[in-house]
Amino acid sequence: MSSKLLRGTFILTLGTIISKILGVFYVIPFDAIIGGSGPEALYQFGYVPYNIFISISTAGVPLAVAKYVAKYNALEEYAVSRKLFRSSMYLMIGTGIAGFLVMYVFAPYFTDLAMAGKQEAQVFSKADVTVVIRAVSFALIIIPVMSLIRGFFQGHQSMGPSAVSQVVEQVVRILFMLIGAYVILHMLHGSIVSAISAATFAAFVGGMASLFVLIWYWFKRKPHLDRLLEQDKGTMHVSIPTLYKEIILSALPFVFVGIANSLYQMVDQLTVKRGMEAVGLGKMWQTQLGILNFQSHKLVIIPVSLATAFSMTLVPMITEAFAKRERDMLVRSVDQTLQVLLFITVPAALGMSLLAKPIFAIFYNTDNAVSVSVLMHYAPVAILFSLYSVTAAIMQGVNEQRWTILSLLVGLLLKLSLNIPLIKMFGILGAVYATAIGYTASILISFIVIKIFAAYPYRTVIRRTILILIFNAVMLAVVGAVYKGLTLVLSPSSRWQALLIVVICAAAGAVVYAYLGLKSKLADKLFGVRIQRVKARLHMR
């Protein structure tokens, strides 16, 4: 199971990381085309409600389908899996169209909610935001069906279609976004609102491209899937209402996990303005919100890619182990997931925090104090994002998804309660601190639930986490020294010199961290035979 877990995670991680890297690097030309964090805030005004609506429209069904397809396949009831997929398809088509109509028709109300307050403190009008929200709403028609097909393949532990379709979706979306924005602004001399609307409509175009890829995979894999039907036991006859009941009860927690980050960002949209106005910074709220929720968030979310991949791989595998009552396999999978996640995510997040100034210069060609400070403080929160995704997936795999809702609500309540007071005290950084506190509370609840209901022993994970933190302290000391030395001859404010600084520092950190991991044999325990082959080539014992 560990080998399958790592293989599936590697495939999904590769697809997700390529997708995320593309999703980060496009901001360099996009920022140059549209010009700064003001227009990017307008872009974000469209995307935050869209992310919430897409999660509600899919209602967690794709991951729930992955979970139950894995369950019924483990029981060799392949006909039930196919029946589940067919019935869910109709549901996704209906909810996608309904979600599009609601978001399109009620866009002015969502705009009022996000931009309530003094008009003079706003760069863009409510009409501008309404246009952008309506442009992105078209993607709701196609994304739920696309996500469902990915879930079906993941339930069969086939991660390739999801990975390839993710990359294709992102490539097509970015090309359409950049070309559309450039043509509108620099060839047709249109408005910035029209350019941002084209950029958000790109989500629909990318979704269509991804759907075509998944349909191709479906026809390619269908002979194999049909052969599985011939091996069906046929001992279970599950009615459509029963299937829907299973899906809905399991899907609801997936919805909350899927929209968690967007809900936190929505809290920022609703409260940052009021908090900053209270301390006399009302004219800066849109710009600083763009720095937090668009520019910094795009970078911070990269280390979370591994957690996203683990979550999608982990749910079907833990469900299978749970259905077969194979507790040892379940514990081994959770052990390996948490340790590999921390081993990779912690250095990535802390390294990004340390190198915040040159990283921001690379992507946005600026190093103003607020931008750098936000990224420096926000980057470590990626560790919490990752742990939340994976612990929620573990709870869903062991059929304790009800606690996912409680943990999220507690975290959100803390975020909502603390956001304005902390913004008044620390400016825009207060929103970062409130997010960290909310996610920490949710993760602690998840850990307690996993301990009680999965009888999971944390001893090994705690020991290895301490070792990982020691390795990171050594790595950061080395990278910090290298960074200080490089800044004596290179400027972290210049895009190309900043790139050279980041490459050299990242290489130094990677060498130190890899050496410590290999020499201590921690990497052997986490990655097994693959790492032993690497050590043999390096003549390390």
Short mmCIF file of all heavy atoms in Angstrom, two decimals, residues 25 28 32 36 49 72 77 85 149 158-159 216 229 285 290 302 322 330 364 380 393 416 422 505 533 535 541:
data_model
loop_
_atom_site.label_atom_id
_atom_site.label_comp_id
_atom_site.label_asym_id
_atom_site.label_seq_id
_atom_site.Cartn_x
_atom_site.Cartn_y
_atom_site.Cartn_z
N PHE A 25 3.83 31.36 -12.25
CA PHE A 25 4.69 32.07 -13.18
C PHE A 25 3.90 32.93 -14.17
O PHE A 25 4.43 33.91 -14.69
CB PHE A 25 5.60 31.09 -13.94
CG PHE A 25 6.85 30.77 -13.19
CD1 PHE A 25 6.93 29.61 -12.43
CD2 PHE A 25 7.93 31.62 -13.21
CE1 PHE A 25 8.08 29.31 -11.71
CE2 PHE A 25 9.09 31.33 -12.49
CZ PHE A 25 9.17 30.17 -11.75
N ILE A 28 3.76 36.83 -13.69
CA ILE A 28 4.80 37.77 -14.14
C ILE A 28 4.34 38.50 -15.40
O ILE A 28 4.27 39.73 -15.41
CB ILE A 28 6.15 37.05 -14.35
CG1 ILE A 28 6.65 36.45 -13.02
CG2 ILE A 28 7.19 38.01 -14.93
CD1 ILE A 28 7.90 35.60 -13.15
N ALA A 32 2.53 42.36 -15.68
CA ALA A 32 3.06 43.36 -16.63
C ALA A 32 1.97 43.86 -17.57
O ALA A 32 1.94 45.04 -17.93
CB ALA A 32 4.21 42.74 -17.44
N GLY A 36 -0.12 45.76 -11.84
CA GLY A 36 -0.15 45.95 -10.39
C GLY A 36 -1.23 45.25 -9.63
O GLY A 36 -2.08 44.56 -10.18
N PRO A 49 -15.65 34.31 -4.73
CA PRO A 49 -17.00 33.73 -4.76
C PRO A 49 -17.11 32.55 -5.73
O PRO A 49 -17.85 31.59 -5.47
CB PRO A 49 -17.90 34.89 -5.20
CG PRO A 49 -17.00 35.94 -5.74
CD PRO A 49 -15.68 35.75 -5.09
N TYR A 72 -16.42 0.08 -3.14
CA TYR A 72 -17.13 -0.99 -3.84
C TYR A 72 -16.19 -1.82 -4.71
O TYR A 72 -16.39 -3.03 -4.89
CB TYR A 72 -18.27 -0.41 -4.68
CG TYR A 72 -19.42 0.11 -3.84
CD1 TYR A 72 -19.82 1.43 -3.90
CD2 TYR A 72 -20.08 -0.73 -2.94
CE1 TYR A 72 -20.86 1.91 -3.11
CE2 TYR A 72 -21.12 -0.27 -2.14
CZ TYR A 72 -21.50 1.06 -2.23
OH TYR A 72 -22.53 1.52 -1.44
N GLU A 77 -17.55 -5.17 -6.21
CA GLU A 77 -18.90 -4.82 -6.67
C GLU A 77 -18.77 -3.69 -7.69
O GLU A 77 -19.16 -2.55 -7.46
CB GLU A 77 -19.78 -4.40 -5.48
CG GLU A 77 -20.01 -5.48 -4.46
CD GLU A 77 -20.96 -6.58 -4.97
OE1 GLU A 77 -21.60 -6.37 -6.01
OE2 GLU A 77 -21.03 -7.64 -4.33
N PHE A 85 -21.34 6.22 -10.53
CA PHE A 85 -20.77 7.21 -11.43
C PHE A 85 -21.83 7.81 -12.37
O PHE A 85 -21.91 9.03 -12.53
CB PHE A 85 -19.65 6.56 -12.26
CG PHE A 85 -19.06 7.45 -13.32
CD1 PHE A 85 -18.42 8.63 -12.98
CD2 PHE A 85 -19.12 7.09 -14.65
CE1 PHE A 85 -17.87 9.46 -13.95
CE2 PHE A 85 -18.58 7.91 -15.63
CZ PHE A 85 -17.96 9.09 -15.28
N ILE A 149 -15.44 13.16 -13.25
CA ILE A 149 -14.70 12.15 -14.03
C ILE A 149 -13.33 11.92 -13.40
O ILE A 149 -12.84 10.78 -13.31
CB ILE A 149 -14.58 12.58 -15.50
CG1 ILE A 149 -15.98 12.75 -16.12
CG2 ILE A 149 -13.79 11.54 -16.30
CD1 ILE A 149 -15.97 13.33 -17.53
N SER A 158 -6.31 5.37 -10.44
CA SER A 158 -5.68 5.76 -11.70
C SER A 158 -5.53 7.28 -11.67
O SER A 158 -6.50 8.00 -11.89
CB SER A 158 -6.54 5.32 -12.89
OG SER A 158 -5.98 5.78 -14.10
N MET A 159 -4.33 7.75 -11.35
CA MET A 159 -4.12 9.17 -11.11
C MET A 159 -3.66 9.93 -12.35
O MET A 159 -3.69 11.16 -12.38
CB MET A 159 -3.08 9.37 -9.99
CG MET A 159 -3.40 8.62 -8.70
SD MET A 159 -4.99 9.13 -7.99
CE MET A 159 -5.22 7.87 -6.72
N TRP A 216 -11.29 11.64 -23.59
CA TRP A 216 -10.36 10.79 -24.35
C TRP A 216 -9.86 9.63 -23.49
O TRP A 216 -9.81 8.48 -23.94
CB TRP A 216 -9.19 11.65 -24.84
CG TRP A 216 -8.16 10.86 -25.61
CD1 TRP A 216 -8.21 10.47 -26.92
CD2 TRP A 216 -6.92 10.33 -25.09
NE1 TRP A 216 -7.10 9.75 -27.25
CE2 TRP A 216 -6.29 9.64 -26.17
CE3 TRP A 216 -6.31 10.38 -23.85
CZ2 TRP A 216 -5.05 9.02 -26.01
CZ3 TRP A 216 -5.08 9.77 -23.70
CH2 TRP A 216 -4.46 9.09 -24.76
N LEU A 229 -16.37 -5.16 -14.98
CA LEU A 229 -17.79 -5.48 -14.80
C LEU A 229 -18.05 -6.97 -14.95
O LEU A 229 -18.94 -7.53 -14.31
CB LEU A 229 -18.64 -4.70 -15.80
CG LEU A 229 -18.75 -3.17 -15.59
CD1 LEU A 229 -19.55 -2.53 -16.71
CD2 LEU A 229 -19.39 -2.87 -14.23
N TRP A 285 -6.78 49.57 1.37
CA TRP A 285 -7.27 48.23 1.67
C TRP A 285 -7.32 47.32 0.45
O TRP A 285 -6.96 46.15 0.53
CB TRP A 285 -8.64 48.30 2.36
CG TRP A 285 -9.81 48.53 1.44
CD1 TRP A 285 -10.30 49.72 1.01
CD2 TRP A 285 -10.65 47.52 0.85
NE1 TRP A 285 -11.38 49.54 0.20
CE2 TRP A 285 -11.63 48.20 0.08
CE3 TRP A 285 -10.69 46.13 0.89
CZ2 TRP A 285 -12.61 47.54 -0.65
CZ3 TRP A 285 -11.68 45.46 0.17
CH2 TRP A 285 -12.62 46.16 -0.58
N GLY A 290 -5.10 42.72 -2.24
CA GLY A 290 -4.55 42.07 -3.44
C GLY A 290 -3.20 41.44 -3.17
O GLY A 290 -2.90 40.33 -3.64
N ILE A 302 1.97 26.97 -3.35
CA ILE A 302 2.81 25.98 -4.05
C ILE A 302 3.22 24.82 -3.13
O ILE A 302 3.06 23.65 -3.50
CB ILE A 302 4.06 26.65 -4.66
CG1 ILE A 302 3.66 27.62 -5.76
CG2 ILE A 302 5.01 25.59 -5.24
CD1 ILE A 302 4.82 28.40 -6.35
N PHE A 322 -9.82 0.60 5.41
CA PHE A 322 -10.86 0.64 6.45
C PHE A 322 -11.97 -0.36 6.14
O PHE A 322 -12.45 -1.07 7.04
CB PHE A 322 -11.43 2.06 6.54
CG PHE A 322 -12.25 2.31 7.77
CD1 PHE A 322 -11.67 2.34 9.03
CD2 PHE A 322 -13.63 2.53 7.67
CE1 PHE A 322 -12.42 2.58 10.17
CE2 PHE A 322 -14.38 2.77 8.80
CZ PHE A 322 -13.78 2.79 10.05
N LEU A 330 -3.58 0.83 7.29
CA LEU A 330 -4.12 2.17 7.51
C LEU A 330 -3.12 3.01 8.30
O LEU A 330 -2.81 4.15 7.92
CB LEU A 330 -5.45 2.07 8.26
CG LEU A 330 -6.29 3.35 8.42
CD1 LEU A 330 -7.77 3.00 8.50
CD2 LEU A 330 -5.88 4.14 9.65
N TYR A 364 6.92 39.70 -9.05
CA TYR A 364 6.14 40.94 -9.18
C TYR A 364 6.99 42.18 -9.41
O TYR A 364 6.46 43.29 -9.45
CB TYR A 364 5.25 41.12 -7.93
CG TYR A 364 4.34 39.95 -7.71
CD1 TYR A 364 4.59 39.05 -6.67
CD2 TYR A 364 3.24 39.71 -8.53
CE1 TYR A 364 3.76 37.95 -6.47
CE2 TYR A 364 2.41 38.62 -8.34
CZ TYR A 364 2.68 37.75 -7.30
OH TYR A 364 1.86 36.66 -7.10
N PRO A 380 4.86 30.48 6.16
CA PRO A 380 4.78 29.34 7.09
C PRO A 380 3.37 28.80 7.29
O PRO A 380 3.20 27.64 7.70
CB PRO A 380 5.32 29.91 8.41
CG PRO A 380 6.18 31.06 8.00
CD PRO A 380 5.51 31.64 6.81
N ALA A 393 -8.66 14.62 5.14
CA ALA A 393 -8.75 13.44 4.27
C ALA A 393 -8.70 12.15 5.09
O ALA A 393 -9.42 11.19 4.80
CB ALA A 393 -7.61 13.45 3.25
N LEU A 416 -13.10 34.88 12.08
CA LEU A 416 -14.08 35.96 12.01
C LEU A 416 -14.01 36.86 13.25
O LEU A 416 -14.11 38.08 13.16
CB LEU A 416 -15.49 35.38 11.87
CG LEU A 416 -16.61 36.29 11.41
CD1 LEU A 416 -16.28 36.94 10.08
CD2 LEU A 416 -17.91 35.51 11.30
N LEU A 422 -7.15 42.03 15.16
CA LEU A 422 -5.74 41.84 14.82
C LEU A 422 -5.29 42.79 13.70
O LEU A 422 -4.13 43.23 13.68
CB LEU A 422 -5.48 40.38 14.43
CG LEU A 422 -5.54 39.37 15.59
CD1 LEU A 422 -5.38 37.94 15.08
CD2 LEU A 422 -4.48 39.68 16.64
N CYS A 505 20.62 30.01 -3.20
CA CYS A 505 20.20 29.72 -1.83
C CYS A 505 19.39 28.42 -1.76
O CYS A 505 19.57 27.61 -0.84
CB CYS A 505 19.37 30.87 -1.27
SG CYS A 505 20.32 32.35 -0.89
N ARG A 533 18.66 3.44 -3.58
CA ARG A 533 19.34 3.45 -4.89
C ARG A 533 20.14 4.74 -5.05
O ARG A 533 21.27 4.74 -5.56
CB ARG A 533 18.32 3.33 -6.02
CG ARG A 533 17.61 1.97 -6.08
CD ARG A 533 16.92 1.81 -7.42
NE ARG A 533 15.90 0.77 -7.35
CZ ARG A 533 14.60 0.97 -7.39
NH1 ARG A 533 14.12 2.19 -7.51
NH2 ARG A 533 13.75 -0.04 -7.33
N LYS A 535 21.38 6.62 -2.64
CA LYS A 535 22.54 6.56 -1.74
C LYS A 535 23.65 5.68 -2.31
O LYS A 535 24.84 5.97 -2.15
CB LYS A 535 22.10 6.04 -0.37
CG LYS A 535 21.26 7.03 0.41
CD LYS A 535 20.82 6.49 1.75
CE LYS A 535 21.93 6.45 2.75
NZ LYS A 535 21.46 6.06 4.10
N ARG A 541 26.46 5.42 3.00
CA ARG A 541 25.95 4.28 3.76
C ARG A 541 24.83 4.72 4.67
O ARG A 541 24.80 5.82 5.14
CB ARG A 541 27.06 3.66 4.59
CG ARG A 541 28.11 2.97 3.72
CD ARG A 541 29.13 2.27 4.59
NE ARG A 541 30.10 1.56 3.78
CZ ARG A 541 31.10 0.85 4.31
NH1 ARG A 541 31.24 0.78 5.63
NH2 ARG A 541 31.95 0.23 3.53
#
